[in-house]
Amino acid sequence: MKIVLLGAPGAGKGSQAELIKEKYGLPHISTGDALRKNLKDETELGLYAKSYMEKGLLVPDSIIVQMMKIRLEADDCKNGYMLDGFPRSIVQAEFLDKVDTLDAVLNIEVPFDVIIERLSGRLSCTCGAIYNKATHHSDKCLKCNSQLYIRADDKEEAIRNRLDVYTETTAPLVDYYAKKGVLRTIVGAETIKDTFKRVQVVLDQISSRE
Ligand code: AMP
């Protein structure tokens, strides 16, 4: 199955992706994680993307499309995948349409006030795990014991930029995919577990069609 996780930053795409990967075995392709890895390794791409990412702006479409073209051709994508944080603009969605047909686009909907609260308390781990200061009272990851960190773009001004960028450039994808008949809306304001129950209903339907 080939799916996209759509939603504002902080909607919970990464958390759902971890659970989906565990249960359905789909490769988790996150453009944000890939860019952060490039940044850490100080590759040319990473150094180029850094200033956009820190400000909470989108890395130009041409760069992202080039990166995803290579990634989607990899062997592990042959039987399905889940895209997290891609596409984020109509240009990126049009590229994806040319290379593949999606089974579903899961639009995780969360009100902005909940999102701001989540992002401003977010603690991240390099292994992909995500926590919140309100409920996690340690600076260590429960899964791999690494030191947790606050993402540079989880600071207040960057959060505001990211939400503006989402509204202007990414939110139009909701209509784009609704028109194609693949959009599935998931209420994501409650707990990770509650959201995952809703996600499973959709993914189980798709799996039973295959
Ligand atoms: P994320 O981890 O998905 O929130 O992405 C972190 C940052 O990486 C974003 O704020 C953008 O600067 C950049 N980024 C990730 N995915 C994309 C994309 N599909 N298009 C453009 N920029 C992206």
Side-chain angles (χ1 to χ4, degrees):
M1 110 176 105
K2 293 176 176 171
I3 61 167
V4 166
L5 301 180
L6 190 64
K13 301 187 294 295
S15 301
Q16 294 305 314
E18 273 193 67
L19 297 172
I20 294 170
K21 186 176 164 188
E22 211 171 285
K23 175 158 184 193
Y24 298 90
L26 292 177
H28 173 202
I29 303 178
S30 155
T31 40
D33 285 350
L35 291 167
R36 275 185 291 279
K37 168 117 191 3
N38 274 275
L39 224 161
K40 192 162 164 255
D41 296 344
E42 298 187 341
T43 66
E44 204 181 325
L45 168 64
L47 295 173
Y48 178 77
K50 187 171 189 254
S51 61
Y52 294 96
M53 293 175 74
E54 279 179 353
K55 291 188 199 111
L57 303 175
L58 291 189
V59 175
D61 286 330
S62 57
I63 305 286
I64 298 291
V65 162
Q66 215 177 323
M67 180 175 100
M68 287 305 283
K69 191 170 185 321
I70 296 167
R71 183 63 188 92
L72 291 171
E73 278 168 5
D75 274 352
D76 66 334
C77 290
K78 295 245 151 64
N79 296 319
Y81 50 71
M82 131 184 69
L83 304 181
D84 162 10
F86 178 89
R88 251 178 162 100
S89 67
I90 298 284
V91 170
Q92 294 179 16
E94 285 171 350
F95 155 77
L96 187 57
D97 275 345
K98 275 191 218 132
V99 297
D100 230 332
T101 305
L102 296 168
D103 293 295
V105 173
L106 274 54
N107 179 31
I108 306 178
E109 276 194 340
V110 179
F112 271 17
D113 54 337
V114 177
I115 283 189
I116 291 166
E117 206 175 290
R118 283 185 188 173
L119 290 180
S120 48
R122 183 155 78 170
L123 294 170
S124 301
C125 181
T126 44
C127 79
I130 298 157
Y131 304 91
N132 195 286
K133 278 184 206 156
T135 50
H136 187 75
H137 304 293
S138 153
D139 59 354
K140 290 277 158 57
C141 177
L142 293 175
K143 293 190 178 146
C144 69
N145 209 37
S146 297
Q147 179 80 32
L148 300 175
Y149 67 97
I150 297 171
R151 280 172 41 172
D153 58 355
D154 280 344
K155 309 238 161 78
E156 201 184 321
E157 198 186 328
I159 292 176
R160 235 178 296 126
N161 276 343
R162 287 160 72 203
L163 294 178
D164 286 349
V165 166
Y166 172 77
T167 304
E168 277 162 36
T169 314
T170 310
L173 293 181
V174 173
D175 259 6
Y176 180 92
Y177 284 121
K179 281 187 188 129
K180 289 191 178 291
V182 289
L183 190 81
R184 306 296 297 260
T185 299
I186 308 277
V187 174
E190 293 152 32
T191 65
I192 293 176
K193 255 188 173 171
D194 289 328
T195 307
F196 189 53
K197 278 189 201 145
R198 298 190 171 104
V199 166
Q200 285 174 89
V201 171
V202 173
L203 298 189
D204 288 346
Q205 264 175 15
I206 298 171
S207 312
S208 67
R209 284 201 313 243
E210 284 183 341

